[in-house]
Amino acid sequence: MLKRLRSVVFWAHLIIGVSAAAIVLVMALTGVLLTYQRQIQAWADTRGLDGAAPSTSATQLPPDTLLAKVESAGSGRVTGLRWRRDPAAPAEVLYGRETTVFVNAYTGAVLGDGSERTRAFFRSVTDWHRWLALSGDDRARGRAITGVANLAFLFIVLAGFILWWPRNLTRRSLRSVVMFRRGLSGKARDFNWHNVIGIWSFLPLVIIVVSGAVISYAWAGGILERLTAEDGSARTAVAAPVAPDAAAGLLLAGDTADTSLLVEVARAQMPAWRSVTMHLPSRSGRVRFTLDGGTGGQPQYQAELSLSPTTGEVLDWQPFSSGSRPQRVRSILRFAHTGEALGLVGQTIAGAASAGAVLLVWTGIALALRRLRSWLRRRHSRDSPGPAAADRASRRTP
């Protein structure tokens, strides 16, 4: 029974793997290219830009003054201002998600709008990764194809683990599937690589593929919601670390607080902040901030803050811990897909797993083609008469 079940798993693994190979290969290759997107884009955008203070006594300009100086630098409506922890880093004026203008936070001098070539490259790679570079109404079809391929790859990885794991667990058999062997070539080499890469990539690939399914499908998100549900799962307010009286002490008298002091109040909420984003325009009588103490892709180190524009009082403070368990898990899975939830180490692991997926496709197809050629040779030998039979037939011919 177990042998028959293993045979069924093998043929399902083979057929589904060959059918989804091309799409999985595209997604894996683009995943490798996107491994360090955040770091590469930041380096390309700020390379050669001077955001340092002109003198040791210089202070950063208030947000209103900064915006007035760069009003004509970008097209469209300003949606935010971002400051980095590094005092020499340029401030960022955000125009939606696509456009960023870098300015000197001390002088207001416009330094540039980053590397559009790098941004366009990553946009193109992302389009291939998400919907096979299809555009317009065809994007839904591309997303459906990559979504199905992602689910197929999940089955391939799970079934592969069953097939890769040795039937008789001994030290020798275990070494053959967890260590590369030298001196192999052809089928033996591909088989060894397929097993070793599959075993070592198993857990990262499961996380990447499962998180991709949650991103792609509402029903997968619903399953996650049910699995992680808890009593009182709605968001609850968490007390801000800075008391309203202390915040108010930072503000100037008047009908409207100085926006630069509002920024100081926001920074005080998270002493270990690495970036602070002020969202514009202010809505519902409050000024909103996003505080980030991580690398930008670590939601566990992020928080949302709303301040009163007149007193600086904390109206709403929502760190990561204030969300419900399903919200927290979904946020982590979103960035577990790219590995960013664990920072640079996680990105490296995700990139290595994606590269492993490329090799799994290559070795899997190579093994399937060898199996097909062997089957064709056997069939040909059955259908064709052997030399002895042909000789006997020729002797009987008058």
Side-chain angles (χ1 to χ4, degrees):
M1 181 66 70
L2 290 176
K3 185 177 180 180
R4 186 175 299 175
L5 178 61
R6 190 180 181 93
S7 178
V8 171
V9 172
F10 168 77
W11 283 107
H13 177 83
L14 176 62
I15 294 171
I16 294 175
V18 171
S19 302
I23 306 302
V24 171
L25 182 62
V26 170
M27 296 170 70
L29 280 172
T30 52
V32 173
L33 294 175
L34 293 170
T35 300
Y36 300 112
Q37 176 186 1
R38 190 180 297 275
Q39 288 82 2
I40 294 173
Q41 187 66 62
W43 172 82
D45 282 342
T46 60
R47 180 182 52 172
L49 301 185
D50 183 14
S55 65
T56 56
S57 60
T59 58
Q60 293 185 347
L61 296 174
D64 294 338
T65 306
L66 199 61
L67 287 174
K69 286 182 173 290
V70 299
E71 188 174 10
S72 60
S75 58
R77 181 172 60 89
V78 175
T79 58
L81 275 171
R82 181 177 295 134
W83 296 266
R84 301 287 178 178
R85 185 83 179 196
D86 183 359
E92 303 168 29
V93 182
L94 310 178
Y95 295 83
R97 294 185 176 183
E98 299 298 328
T99 303
T100 301
V101 174
F102 296 89
V103 300
N104 187 300
Y106 303 90
T107 65
V110 176
L111 304 176
D113 55 1
S115 175
E116 179 55 35
R117 180 178 299 179
T118 306
R119 196 171 287 109
F121 169 77
F122 282 122
R123 270 201 304 267
S124 177
V125 174
T126 302
D127 287 348
W128 274 101
H129 187 77
R130 291 179 177 175
W131 37 68
L132 304 177
L134 297 175
S135 58
D137 295 337
D138 291 333
R139 279 192 172 181
R141 180 159 53 92
R143 184 186 290 274
I145 294 172
T146 57
V148 170
N150 184 68
L151 292 178
F153 191 50
L154 176 60
F155 172 81
I156 293 168
V157 172
L158 295 176
F161 186 80
I162 297 173
L163 300 172
W164 297 323
W165 196 256
R167 301 181 189 183
N168 299 316
L169 190 59
T170 64
R171 178 178 295 183
R172 183 176 180 180
S173 63
L174 189 61
R175 286 183 61 186
S176 67
V177 296
V178 299
M179 295 182 64
F180 291 107
R181 296 167 57 191
R182 297 181 180 180
L184 300 179
S185 61
K187 179 181 178 180
R189 178 203 60 205
D190 292 341
F191 188 74
N192 176 246
W193 286 15
H194 200 69
N195 287 342
V196 174
I197 294 170
I199 289 291
W200 285 104
S201 302
F202 173 74
L203 185 57
L205 285 178
V206 168
I207 294 173
I208 290 171
V209 177
V210 169
S211 59
V214 173
I215 294 171
S216 300
Y217 293 107
W219 59 261
I223 293 175
L224 175 69
E225 192 90 17
R226 289 191 293 273
L227 290 176
T228 58
E230 58 183 352
D231 294 336
S233 60
R235 281 178 32 155
T236 55
V238 176
V242 175
D245 290 342
L250 295 173
L251 303 182
L252 297 177
D255 294 335
T256 304
D258 188 331
T259 51
S260 62
L261 296 178
L262 289 176
V263 175
E264 291 302 318
V265 172
R267 291 173 177 173
Q269 310 306 308
M270 184 183 288
W273 66 274
R274 296 179 68 175
S275 72
V276 174
T277 303
M278 180 180 183
H279 300 284
L280 300 170
S282 300
R283 294 178 179 176
S284 304
R286 56 182 61 196
V287 182
R288 296 188 306 112
F289 292 89
T290 296
L291 304 166
D292 194 335
T295 60
Q298 297 176 291
Q300 66 271 33
Y301 300 128
Q302 296 175 355
E304 299 292 327
L305 171 71
S306 293
L307 298 177
S308 166
T310 56
T311 66
E313 180 182 356
V314 176
L315 302 177
D316 189 31
W317 169 250
Q318 295 292 345
F320 177 77
S321 60
S322 68
S324 66
R325 185 188 297 166
Q327 289 172 329
R328 297 196 303 270
V329 173
R330 185 185 287 272
S331 297
I332 290 294
L333 279 180
R334 160 64 183 85
F335 291 98
H337 186 72
T338 59
E340 292 174 286
L342 294 179
L344 192 62
V345 173
Q347 290 175 255
T348 302
I349 293 173
S354 297
V358 173
L359 291 174
L360 286 175
V361 172
W362 176 59
T363 53
I365 292 298
L367 289 169
L369 289 175
R370 286 192 175 91
R371 177 176 288 272
L372 176 62
R373 286 197 297 267
S374 177
W375 177 78
L376 290 175
R377 283 196 298 268
R378 290 195 303 271
R379 181 177 180 183
H380 180 73
S381 64
R382 287 197 305 267
D383 296 342
S384 301
D391 184 60
R392 288 194 299 270
S394 64
R395 291 177 183 178
R396 289 194 299 269
T397 304

